[in-house]
Coordinates of all heavy atoms in Angstrom, one line a residue:
C1060 N 217.6 70.2 80.1 CA 216.4 70.6 80.1 C 215.5 69.8 81.0 O 215.5 68.6 81.0 CB 215.8 70.6 78.7 SG 214.1 71.2 78.5
E1061 N 214.8 70.5 81.9 CA 213.9 70.0 82.9 C 212.4 70.5 82.5 O 212.3 71.6 82.4 CB 214.3 70.2 84.3 CG 213.3 69.8 85.3 CD 213.7 70.3 86.7 OE1 214.9 69.9 87.0 OE2 213.0 70.9 87.3
I1062 N 211.4 69.7 82.5 CA 210.1 69.9 82.2 C 209.3 69.5 83.5 O 209.5 68.5 84.1 CB 209.7 69.2 81.1 CG1 210.4 69.5 79.9 CG2 208.0 69.6 81.0 CD1 210.4 70.8 79.3
Q1063 N 208.3 70.3 83.9 CA 207.3 70.0 85.0 C 205.9 70.2 84.5 O 205.7 71.3 84.0 CB 207.6 70.7 86.3 CG 206.8 69.9 87.5 CD 206.4 70.8 88.5 OE1 206.1 72.0 88.5 NE2 206.5 70.3 89.9
F1064 N 205.1 69.2 84.7 CA 203.6 69.4 84.5 C 203.0 69.2 85.9 O 203.5 68.5 86.8 CB 203.0 68.2 83.8 CG 203.2 68.3 82.2 CD1 204.2 67.6 81.6 CD2 202.2 68.9 81.5 CE1 204.4 67.5 80.3 CE2 202.3 68.8 80.1 CZ 203.4 68.3 79.5
S1065 N 201.8 69.8 86.1 CA 200.9 69.3 87.2 C 199.5 69.3 86.7 O 199.2 70.2 85.7 CB 201.1 70.2 88.4 OG 200.6 71.6 88.2
Y1066 N 198.7 68.6 87.3 CA 197.3 68.4 86.9 C 196.4 68.3 88.1 O 196.7 68.0 89.1 CB 197.0 67.2 86.1 CG 197.7 67.2 84.6 CD1 198.9 66.7 84.5 CD2 197.0 67.6 83.5 CE1 199.6 66.7 83.2 CE2 197.6 67.7 82.2 CZ 199.0 67.3 82.2 OH 199.4 67.3 80.8
S1067 N 195.1 68.6 87.7 CA 193.9 68.3 88.7 C 193.0 67.2 88.1 O 192.9 67.1 86.9 CB 193.1 69.5 89.0 OG 191.9 69.2 89.5
I1068 N 192.6 66.3 88.9 CA 191.8 65.2 88.4 C 190.5 65.8 87.8 O 190.0 66.8 88.2 CB 191.3 64.3 89.6 CG1 190.6 63.0 89.0 CG2 190.4 65.0 90.7 CD1 190.4 61.9 90.0
G1069 N 190.2 65.2 86.6 CA 189.0 65.6 85.9 C 189.1 66.8 84.9 O 188.2 67.2 84.3
V1070 N 190.3 67.6 85.0 CA 190.6 68.8 84.3 C 191.6 68.5 83.2 O 192.6 68.0 83.6 CB 191.0 69.9 85.3 CG1 191.2 71.2 84.4 CG2 190.0 70.0 86.4
A1071 N 191.4 69.0 82.0 CA 192.3 68.6 80.8 C 193.5 69.6 80.9 O 194.6 69.1 80.7 CB 191.5 68.8 79.5
E1072 N 193.3 70.8 81.1 CA 194.3 71.8 81.1 C 195.3 71.6 82.3 O 194.8 71.5 83.5 CB 193.8 73.2 81.1 CG 194.8 74.3 80.8 CD 195.0 74.3 79.2 OE1 194.1 74.2 78.4 OE2 196.2 74.4 78.8
P1073 N 196.6 71.6 82.1 CA 197.6 71.5 83.3 C 197.4 72.6 84.1 O 197.2 73.7 83.8 CB 198.9 71.5 82.6 CG 198.7 71.2 81.2 CD 197.3 71.7 80.8
T1074 N 197.5 72.4 85.4 CA 197.6 73.5 86.3 C 198.8 74.2 86.4 O 198.8 75.4 87.0 CB 197.2 73.0 87.9 OG1 198.1 71.9 88.1 CG2 195.7 72.2 87.8
S1075 N 199.8 73.6 85.9 CA 201.1 74.6 85.8 C 202.0 73.7 84.7 O 201.8 72.5 84.5 CB 201.8 74.6 87.0 OG 202.4 73.3 87.5
F1076 N 203.0 74.4 84.2 CA 203.9 73.8 83.2 C 205.1 74.8 83.1 O 205.0 75.9 83.1 CB 203.3 73.7 81.8 CG 204.1 73.4 80.6 CD1 204.5 71.9 80.6 CD2 204.8 74.2 79.8 CE1 205.4 71.6 79.6 CE2 205.6 73.8 78.9 CZ 206.0 72.4 78.7
Y1077 N 206.3 74.1 83.2 CA 207.5 75.0 83.0 C 208.5 74.4 82.3 O 208.7 73.1 82.3 CB 207.9 75.6 84.3 CG 208.9 74.7 85.2 CD1 210.0 74.1 85.0 CD2 208.3 74.5 86.5 CE1 210.7 73.3 85.8 CE2 209.0 73.5 87.4 CZ 210.1 73.1 87.0 OH 210.9 72.2 87.9
V1078 N 209.5 75.1 81.7 CA 210.8 74.5 81.1 C 211.9 75.2 81.9 O 211.8 76.5 82.0 CB 210.7 75.0 79.5 CG1 212.2 74.4 78.9 CG2 209.6 74.3 78.8
K1079 N 212.9 74.5 82.3 CA 213.9 75.0 82.9 C 215.4 74.5 82.3 O 215.3 73.2 82.2 CB 213.9 74.5 84.4 CG 214.9 75.0 85.4 CD 214.8 74.5 86.8 CE 215.7 74.8 87.8 NZ 215.5 74.3 89.2
T1080 N 216.2 75.2 82.1 CA 217.4 74.9 81.4 C 218.7 75.0 82.0 O 219.9 74.9 81.6 CB 217.4 75.5 80.0 OG1 217.6 77.0 80.2 CG2 216.3 75.4 79.2
Y1081 N 218.6 75.6 83.4 CA 219.7 75.6 84.2 C 220.9 76.6 83.7 O 222.1 76.2 83.7 CB 220.4 74.2 84.5 CG 219.6 73.4 85.2 CD1 218.8 72.5 84.6 CD2 219.6 73.2 86.6 CE1 217.8 71.6 85.3 CE2 218.7 72.4 87.3 CZ 217.9 71.6 86.7 OH 217.1 70.8 87.3
G1082 N 220.4 77.6 82.8 CA 221.3 78.6 82.2 C 222.0 78.1 81.0 O 222.9 78.8 80.5
T1083 N 221.6 77.0 80.4 CA 222.2 76.5 79.2 C 221.3 76.8 78.0 O 221.8 76.4 76.9 CB 222.1 74.9 79.3 OG1 220.9 74.3 79.2 CG2 223.1 74.5 80.6
G1084 N 220.2 77.5 78.1 CA 219.3 77.7 76.9 C 219.7 78.8 76.1 O 220.4 79.7 76.5
T1085 N 219.3 78.7 74.8 CA 219.5 79.8 73.9 C 218.7 81.0 73.9 O 218.9 82.0 73.3 CB 219.5 79.2 72.5 OG1 218.2 78.7 72.1 CG2 220.5 78.2 72.3
M1086 N 217.6 80.9 74.9 CA 216.6 81.9 75.1 C 216.3 81.6 76.6 O 216.7 80.6 77.2 CB 215.4 81.8 74.1 CG 214.6 80.6 74.3 SD 213.3 80.6 73.1 CE 214.2 80.1 71.6
S1087 N 215.6 82.7 77.1 CA 215.1 82.6 78.5 C 214.2 81.3 78.7 O 213.5 80.8 77.8 CB 214.4 83.8 79.1 OG 213.1 83.9 78.4
D1088 N 214.2 80.8 80.0 CA 213.3 79.7 80.2 C 211.8 80.1 80.2 O 211.0 79.3 79.7 CB 213.6 79.3 81.7 CG 214.8 78.6 82.0 OD1 215.5 78.2 81.0 OD2 215.2 78.3 83.1
E1089 N 211.6 81.4 80.3 CA 210.2 81.8 80.1 C 209.7 81.8 78.6 O 208.7 81.3 78.2 CB 210.0 83.3 80.6 CG 208.6 83.9 80.5 CD 208.5 85.3 81.0 OE1 209.5 85.7 81.4 OE2 207.3 85.9 81.1
K1090 N 210.7 82.2 77.8 CA 210.3 82.1 76.3 C 210.2 80.6 75.9 O 209.5 80.2 75.0 CB 211.3 82.8 75.5 CG 211.3 84.4 75.7 CD 212.3 85.2 74.7 CE 212.0 86.6 74.8 NZ 213.0 87.3 74.0
L1091 N 211.2 79.8 76.6 CA 211.2 78.3 76.0 C 209.9 77.8 76.5 O 209.3 76.8 75.8 CB 212.3 77.7 76.6 CG 213.5 77.5 75.7 CD1 214.7 76.8 76.4 CD2 213.3 76.6 74.5
T1092 N 209.4 78.1 77.6 CA 208.1 77.6 78.1 C 206.9 77.9 77.3 O 206.3 77.1 76.9 CB 207.9 78.1 79.7 OG1 208.9 77.7 80.5 CG2 206.5 77.7 80.1
E1093 N 206.9 79.2 76.8 CA 206.0 79.6 75.8 C 206.1 78.9 74.5 O 205.0 78.6 73.9 CB 206.1 81.1 75.6 CG 205.6 82.0 76.9 CD 206.0 83.5 76.7 OE1 206.5 83.8 75.7 OE2 205.7 84.2 77.7
L1094 N 207.2 78.7 74.0 CA 207.6 78.0 72.9 C 207.1 76.5 72.9 O 206.4 76.1 72.0 CB 209.0 77.9 72.5 CG 209.5 77.2 71.3 CD1 208.9 77.7 70.0 CD2 211.1 77.1 71.2

């Protein structure tokens, strides 16, 4: 499992976030990201 965040200075909410499992996940990466 690989995770990425990104942020902007002064802003609380991440500007991006993802979960990537290289095809090893029990569900899609999109669903794991939402989870």
